[in-house]
Amino acid sequence: MIFAKLSRIAAYLCLIFGSSQVVLGLIGGSTANYEAFARRYLGTETTGEAIDRGLLAIGLAIVFGAIWEICSHLKQINDKST
């Protein structure tokens, strides 16, 4: 059950990290000097890279959330059968 709890925590962290990367990338893309903004605040060369990284993290959050849902559903089935 420890892996289910870890996947739930990982899902939340990936969702928070990914969402913040996407939002900051969109905000930075609207500034006049977006390349300097990206290098200074996002750690990437362009804001598009930060948005891509954020969308990848959101995708991982979906995968970890699905794993957690499957584990919790299987635990309910095991509890009912015993």
Side-chain angles (χ1 to χ4, degrees):
M1 197 64 194
I2 186 75
F3 292 112
K5 290 180 183 179
L6 287 175
S7 68
R8 183 178 183 186
I9 292 168
Y12 282 120
L13 289 176
C14 285
L15 184 64
I16 292 168
F17 172 74
S19 299
S20 66
Q21 285 288 309
V22 170
V23 168
L24 285 174
L26 291 173
I27 290 170
S30 65
T31 60
N33 197 358
Y34 63 90
E35 289 177 346
F37 179 88
R39 279 192 297 270
R40 183 171 184 176
Y41 296 112
L42 300 173
T44 59
E45 288 296 317
T46 64
T47 55
E49 289 177 14
I51 293 171
D52 288 344
R53 186 190 307 170
L55 291 175
L56 179 64
I58 291 172
L60 284 173
I62 292 169
V63 169
F64 285 133
I67 291 171
W68 175 72
E69 286 289 329
I70 291 168
C71 288
S72 64
H73 183 66
L74 289 175
K75 185 179 182 300
Q76 288 176 355
I77 290 173
N78 277 345
D79 288 346
K80 288 181 182 179
S81 65
T82 57

